[in-house]
Structures are given as C-alpha cells and as structure tokens.
C-alpha cells in the first residue's frame, strides 16, 4: 500500500472511530475497560454473585469453604491489541474484509483507551510475532498502531496462538487487558492460552464472514485456500457440497468455541455483515455489571 493512501485510510479511520467513541463513551468518567479489577488486594469469603473465575482454589481447599480473590482498579490500565494477520483475515464478501474490521476495532478500542489516558500496545500475529509495539499513551502513538495494522502484509501459514501467548507472558509483567482479534479458523490447544487468561484479562474477538459458513448455489467456482495457497474447483450447485462445507464450518467453530471455553477466555463474535457496535457495547455493559456486584 502506498504511503499517501495508507495515511488517508488512517485519517478516515481516526475520524470515524473518534466520533463513535465520543458518542458512545464520552460521558463516562472512568475507562470503559474497567469492568474487572486488575490488581490483587485480598482474599475474602465467597458471596452469591461473585465471579466463579475469581475463586482462589488453594485457599478454598485449605479452609474447606469458598474464598475469592478481591481486586481493585489500578489508576493506570494497559490495553494490548493482538491482531491476526494471516491470509484468512484478507477475506470479506458482505462488507469489509476481516482485516479491515480488525483495524476498525483497534481504532475504537484504542481511542476509548486514549480518551482515559490508558496505555495501548500492539502485536501483529502470524505463526510467530511479526511485529510488536510496546504500550504507550496518546493520539500520535495510536495513529502509529493503526498505520501498522493497515499496512501489514498478510503472512502465509497458520496462526500459532501458543507462540504469541508465550511472548506476551514474557513481555507483559503487569496484569493487562488483552483483546485477541482473529477469525480463529485454525485449531489450537487451549492450554496455550490458559496461562495467559489467568495472568491477564483476555478476550477473544472472533471475526466471521457469511461465506465462512455457507456457499451460495452459483455453479462451478474456483476456491482458494488463503493460508495454504491451494486452489480447487467446486460445484456449488451440489447440495451435498454445500452441506459438507457447512458441516466443516460448524465443526471448526465448535472446536474454536470449546478451546476458548477450556482456556477460560471470554469470546465475542463480530461479523463483517453486521454492525459490531451493539455487541461491543453489550460486552462492556456486562463487564461493568460484573464489577459493581
């Protein structure tokens, strides 16, 4: 992408995202990310309504009664954006490509952080960490992150979440909010994310396109495997072919959902053919209710 075109895209993204953030979050005195404490303070007795994931199982076992860890908000928050840049993210049939939706999510989340002086960092992820920007504050820093996301070249091969999780564990020493933005099309071992989700507040933003799940009946078409580079001619007029495609998509989705659940990583599906803002607002509303209980 040419530099001038890239800068124009960043500027358009900034204008749109700032308006969205100011309209949605501008009246809030605290960061929209403060839905769960990020600094441990004490252990206390469990009461109905406490988060199950806050149970301290070691103390519970010793005391023969349920105890939970109590957290308090830190004055300084760190938000880490992990963006999948494998080739499957360069796909979109009903609106933006998944990579473009990922860039807009980075802008909205990033400007929400800038609005409350939170620090924001970036990891561009493929089979390994392709690019890392340490967390910092301010509009200029965030514009650099958006430029990096929009200008990133897609990488071949499959995503390897374990490599990225280990990198984050080595580099992020304070508890942070991690938004992992990917289509999660590749199978992974949930144990690769379990430690990360325990040490940091991890959320998976799962990007989907309608054609990830269904094929239209339009006759013979050539389909490309974006990550492996293969091509195949497929007769989409065949009901058997379309059903096999749907079945394979459902199995991949169930596997990803199960792996994220086992890793205790909350997930939020966002689609290229729908407005993502209502789902994102519900997510933050749930976080806020969890904090107030």
């Amino acid at each position: 992408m040419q530099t001038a075109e890239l800068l124009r895209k960043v500027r358009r993204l900034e204008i749109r995202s700032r308006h969205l953030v100011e309209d949605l979050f501008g009246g809030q005195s605290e960061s929209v990310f403060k839905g769960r404490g990020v600094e441990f303070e004490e252990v206390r007795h469990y009461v109905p309504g406490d988060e199950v994931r806050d149970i301290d199982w070691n103390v519970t076992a010793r005391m023969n009664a349920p105890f939970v860890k109590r957290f308090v908000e830190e004055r300084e928050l760190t938000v880490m954006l992990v963006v999948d840049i494998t080739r499957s993210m360069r796909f979109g049939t009903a609106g933006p490509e998944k990579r473009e939706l990922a860039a807009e999510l980075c802008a909205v989340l990033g400007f929400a952080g800038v609005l409350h002086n939170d620090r924001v960092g970036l990891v561009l992820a493929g089979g390994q960490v392709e690019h890392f920007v340490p967390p910092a504050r301010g509009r200029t820093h965030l514009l650099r992150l958006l430029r990096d996301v929009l200008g990133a070249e897609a990488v071949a091969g499959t995503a390897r979440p374990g490599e990225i999780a280990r990198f984050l564990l080595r580099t992020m020493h304070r508890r942070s909010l991690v938004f992992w933005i990917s289509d999660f099309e590749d199978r992974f071992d949930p144990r690769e994310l379990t430690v990360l989700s325990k040490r940091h507040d991890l959320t998976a933003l799962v990007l989907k396109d309608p054609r990830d799940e269904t094929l239209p009946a339009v006759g013979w078409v050539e389909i490309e495997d974006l990550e492996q580079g293969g091509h195949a001619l497929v007769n989409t007029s065949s009901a058997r072919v379309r059903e096999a495609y749907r079945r394979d998509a459902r199995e991949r989705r169930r596997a990803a959902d199960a792996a994220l659940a086992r890793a205790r990583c909350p997930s939020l599906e966002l689609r290229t053919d729908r407005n993502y803002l209502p789902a994102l607002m519900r997510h933050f509303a749930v976080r806020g209710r969890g904090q107030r209980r």
Side-chain angles (χ1 to χ4, degrees):
M1 188 182 298
Q2 296 296 320
T3 302
E5 179 188 358
L6 179 59
L7 292 176
R8 284 194 296 271
K9 284 193 171 186
V10 170
R11 179 57 180 159
R12 288 195 296 269
L13 191 57
E14 178 189 14
I15 293 171
R16 171 173 165 76
S17 300
R18 285 183 72 95
H19 288 163
L20 290 172
V21 168
E22 287 169 2
D23 289 344
L24 294 171
F25 307 130
Q28 298 189 23
S29 60
E30 294 185 335
S31 171
V32 298
F33 301 127
K34 293 190 178 183
R36 183 169 184 257
V38 292
E39 187 175 64
F40 174 73
E41 185 178 52
E42 64 179 0
V43 173
R44 62 163 172 78
H45 282 283
Y46 173 89
V47 296
D50 284 337
E51 292 246 12
V52 173
R53 62 179 174 173
D54 287 340
I55 293 176
D56 188 321
W57 295 106
N58 291 330
V59 176
T60 295
R62 288 199 304 270
M63 303 301 294
N64 200 30
F67 280 76
V68 296
K69 295 178 181 178
R70 182 173 179 269
F71 296 87
V72 295
E73 297 287 359
E74 286 185 286
R75 282 191 290 270
E76 179 182 282
L77 278 175
T78 298
V79 179
M80 181 59 66
L81 305 170
V82 180
V83 182
D84 181 354
I85 59 168
T86 57
R87 287 178 178 171
S88 68
M89 293 288 285
R90 295 213 160 184
F91 182 67
T93 63
E97 291 184 352
K98 286 184 269 188
R99 69 184 179 98
E100 294 169 334
L101 177 55
E104 186 160 331
L105 289 167
C106 287
V108 169
L109 295 168
F111 279 114
V114 167
L115 185 67
H116 293 91
N117 206 33
D118 297 330
R119 300 191 310 152
V120 184
L122 174 69
V123 169
L124 298 180
Q128 59 185 4
V129 174
E130 304 291 339
H131 181 62
F132 172 61
V133 182
R137 297 185 184 86
R139 169 183 175 271
T140 301
H141 172 74
L142 180 59
L143 293 181
R144 177 204 170 178
L145 300 190
L146 299 180
R147 188 169 64 247
D148 291 347
V149 173
L150 287 170
E153 293 291 331
V155 297
T158 58
R160 297 174 63 189
E163 290 290 327
I164 313 305
R166 284 188 286 274
F167 173 82
L168 291 172
L169 289 169
R170 289 196 304 270
T171 56
M172 305 294 292
H173 301 298
R174 298 181 64 181
R175 186 171 176 86
S176 305
L177 290 107
V178 180
F179 292 97
W180 199 305
I181 307 172
S182 173
D183 53 12
F184 291 93
E185 285 290 312
D186 300 312
R187 292 180 181 271
F188 63 93
D189 187 337
R191 291 173 295 183
E192 295 176 334
L193 296 185
T194 299
V195 176
L196 183 67
S197 69
K198 288 180 178 178
R199 194 170 300 177
H200 298 284
D201 195 341
L202 176 64
T203 299
L205 302 182
V206 184
L207 308 191
K208 291 298 177 185
D209 185 86
R211 294 296 167 256
D212 287 332
E213 301 160 343
T214 60
L215 285 176
V218 293
W220 287 92
V221 297
E222 184 179 19
I223 294 179
E224 179 185 3
D225 184 332
L226 291 173
E227 295 197 338
Q228 302 300 329
H231 293 74
L233 279 173
V234 176
N235 180 12
T236 63
S237 296
S238 167
R240 182 180 300 174
V241 168
R242 296 197 305 275
E243 177 54 33
Y245 188 90
R246 282 194 296 268
R247 185 169 57 249
D248 182 62
R250 286 195 299 268
E251 290 174 356
R252 291 198 310 273
R253 180 59 198 274
R254 279 198 295 266
D257 287 347
L260 290 170
R262 286 197 294 273
R264 296 189 176 183
C265 172
S267 64
L268 176 65
E269 181 180 297
L270 302 172
R271 300 177 62 88
T272 60
D273 60 337
R274 297 176 192 167
N275 183 357
Y276 63 85
L277 287 174
L280 203 59
M281 287 300 296
R282 285 194 298 272
H283 171 76
F284 286 123
V286 169
R287 287 175 59 90
R289 287 196 298 271
Q291 173 67 13
R292 288 190 293 271
R293 281 201 298 264

